[in-house]
Amino acid sequence: MPIACVQCGERAILKRPKNRKELCKECFYTVFEYEIHETIVKNNLFTRGETIAIGASGGKDSTVLAHIMKTLNERYDYGLNLELLSIDEGITGYRDDSLETVKRNQMQYSLPLKILSYQELYGWTMDAIVKEIGMKNNCTFCGVFRRQALDRGAAMLKCDKIVTGHNADDIAETVIMNILRGDIARLGRCTAISTGSEGMISRSKPFKFTYEKEIVMYAHFKKLDYFTTECIYSPNAYRGHARTFLKDLEKIRPRAILDIIKSGEDMVTKEEVKMPIQQNCERCGYISSAELCKACIMLDGLNRGRPELSIGKNNKRKKILKMTAGKVNLNGISNGSNVRTNTINQDIKDMF
């Protein structure tokens, strides 16, 4: 006997991963879209008249995000100006293909598109970085550069806010990763639906309570145009282990994803724990918890042929920063003499 949709009584074609309720296709669309609208309104994510940059990679999350933002903006009259913002990391055979999907999305949704590249911003591509550092820690470099690239791109477009396709699974994975690493500062931020410091463009996650499986189902049933290939440099990523653990938990208890997010929100830091003080990078002006931001430190390491500088211990890094202060700009161009630079490089090598 066919199973009936719990909303309308028609024949159900799916069971929601979040709560196991059976729904027909149309009721699934309605519930999926309304829950995201409710999240947006309840958390006051946007204000009428704002220009919003949609982080667009061509993958399922960002494609569904672009579709949903355009749909809800028109249906509920948010009064937002929407623009697509894509970052080209320079990964041959992956990002170049996915950007073709983004370009088709631009035409499908009639939204402006800005593409900004690592090469343009940093003088490096991820292909070149991986050639320099290998497959270990490459996701760390990419993540740092990508976060800053999105902010810089949004600033160029004079956007008020950035929205990203981070879903409930992504946030739960990040909670697990930060607990395992003992990263208290990031643990406090990763569950926030909106993040942003004074002077910086804030970011919002409309999919905070949306399960990845439901995003896939929505994209599939709507026949949205999205790119499905995983990044060729991500198989060894630390996040992959957290994802596997989370999927195993979800099989046993579907609500585990939302419960982990709630746990992350409710964790309290002891008063005696010292939290990083946010400031601005002395070199590029980007927000940082140290004299130089992570991107500048990484660029120093790459441009000196010593990428391990950016992942060394803090005491080593401080000594390196003291020796290199003011000697290398954002693009790694020396401001001092070659003799001084060579001396610093030798001192650095002696530390490892």
Side-chain angles (χ1 to χ4, degrees):
M1 182 177 177
I3 298 174
C5 170
V6 297
Q7 295 284 113
C8 68
E10 295 293 322
R11 181 173 181 173
I13 65 166
L14 62 89
K15 182 182 289 186
R16 293 192 72 187
K18 181 186 289 187
N19 54 26
R20 301 303 195 198
K21 289 184 178 180
E22 292 88 0
L23 294 172
C24 69
K25 188 186 294 186
E26 293 302 320
C27 285
F28 171 64
Y29 294 156
T30 301
V31 171
F32 182 87
E33 293 166 1
Y34 183 75
E35 285 182 356
I36 296 169
H37 166 66
E38 195 174 40
T39 298
I40 290 171
V41 173
K42 187 175 180 180
N43 293 279
N44 299 311
L45 296 189
F46 312 117
T47 302
R48 175 176 290 276
E50 287 182 328
T51 298
I52 308 297
I54 302 172
S57 66
K60 65 183 186 313
D61 297 316
S62 67
T63 300
V64 172
L65 178 64
H67 175 85
I68 286 288
M69 286 298 297
K70 181 175 174 62
T71 299
L72 298 184
N73 190 40
E74 294 173 352
R75 180 183 299 165
Y76 297 104
D77 190 25
Y78 292 164
L80 304 176
N81 302 307
L82 304 177
E83 300 197 22
L84 298 177
L85 174 60
S86 290
I87 305 302
D88 180 2
E89 302 93 341
I91 304 174
T92 305
Y94 169 68
R95 183 55 72 210
D96 46 358
D97 290 339
S98 70
L99 284 175
E100 292 304 313
T101 303
V102 174
K103 291 172 184 176
R104 292 196 299 272
N105 290 160
Q106 176 194 16
M107 301 297 292
Q108 292 157 358
Y109 304 134
S110 301
L111 295 175
L113 169 63
K114 169 69 176 177
I115 299 175
L116 197 60
S117 71
Y118 281 9
Q119 181 66 52
E120 184 179 348
L121 282 174
Y122 310 118
W124 287 82
T125 64
M126 276 309 299
D127 285 341
I129 292 172
V130 171
K131 187 176 180 180
E132 181 77 16
I133 69 173
M135 293 290 283
K136 186 177 180 181
N137 296 313
N138 56 286
C139 288
T140 301
F141 279 80
C142 191
V144 170
F145 288 158
R146 183 177 177 79
R147 280 191 292 274
Q148 188 173 124
L150 277 172
D151 284 336
R152 293 190 182 281
M156 289 179 186
L157 295 172
K158 294 181 171 54
C159 292
D160 299 291
K161 290 174 183 171
I162 302 170
V163 290
T164 62
H166 290 96
N167 56 53
D169 298 55
D170 295 327
I171 297 170
E173 289 164 12
T174 305
V175 171
I176 293 170
M177 291 166 63
N178 288 332
I179 289 174
L180 294 177
R181 288 187 299 216
D183 195 333
I184 302 301
R186 283 195 177 93
L187 183 59
R189 297 194 303 267
C190 71
T191 57
I193 195 166
S194 289
T195 56
S197 302
E198 186 177 348
M200 300 299 295
I201 297 173
S202 67
R203 296 188 184 202
S204 299
K205 294 173 277 194
F207 289 171
K208 177 180 176 179
F209 303 109
T210 307
Y211 276 33
E212 182 180 46
K213 287 180 180 176
E214 296 197 356
I215 291 173
V216 173
M217 291 164 65
Y218 186 88
H220 173 71
F221 289 130
K222 283 282 187 178
K223 294 182 170 55
L224 300 184
D225 184 4
Y226 65 96
F227 187 73
T228 58
T229 304
E230 289 290 330
C231 176
I232 59 176
Y233 296 138
S234 68
N236 298 321
Y238 183 45
R239 180 175 290 275
H241 301 291
R243 180 174 295 127
T244 300
F245 175 65
L246 186 65
K247 295 303 180 190
D248 289 340
L249 284 178
E250 186 186 6
K251 290 175 185 176
I252 302 169
R253 189 165 182 271
R255 267 203 65 87
I257 292 174
L258 294 179
D259 289 342
I260 289 172
I261 294 174
K262 184 66 166 60
S263 297
E265 291 174 333
D266 291 345
M267 285 186 184
V268 178
T269 306
K270 292 181 179 178
E271 290 183 6
E272 59 266 29
V273 175
K274 291 185 178 180
M275 301 295 284
I277 299 174
Q278 291 190 336
Q279 53 188 301
N280 293 105
C281 175
E282 294 179 355
R283 184 172 299 163
C284 70
Y286 190 72
I287 191 167
S288 174
S289 58
E291 294 174 3
L292 294 185
C293 69
K294 191 73 171 176
C296 284
I297 293 171
M298 287 181 164
L299 283 171
D300 275 358
L302 288 169
N303 291 322
R304 292 177 182 281
R306 300 292 294 177
E308 62 267 36
L309 297 183
S310 59
I311 53 175
K313 292 182 179 179
N314 286 336
N315 58 341
K316 287 183 179 179
R317 190 177 301 149
K318 286 178 181 178
K319 187 174 180 181
I320 292 166
L321 292 177
K322 187 175 181 180
M323 290 190 295
T324 60
K327 298 301 175 184
V328 182
N329 67 15
L330 184 61
N331 293 314
I333 301 172
S334 175
N335 294 324
S337 68
N338 289 334
V339 174
R340 173 60 178 158
T341 300
N342 291 336
T343 302
I344 291 173
N345 283 338
Q346 187 57 54
D347 289 341
I348 290 170
K349 287 179 181 179
D350 292 340
M351 296 172 64
F352 291 91

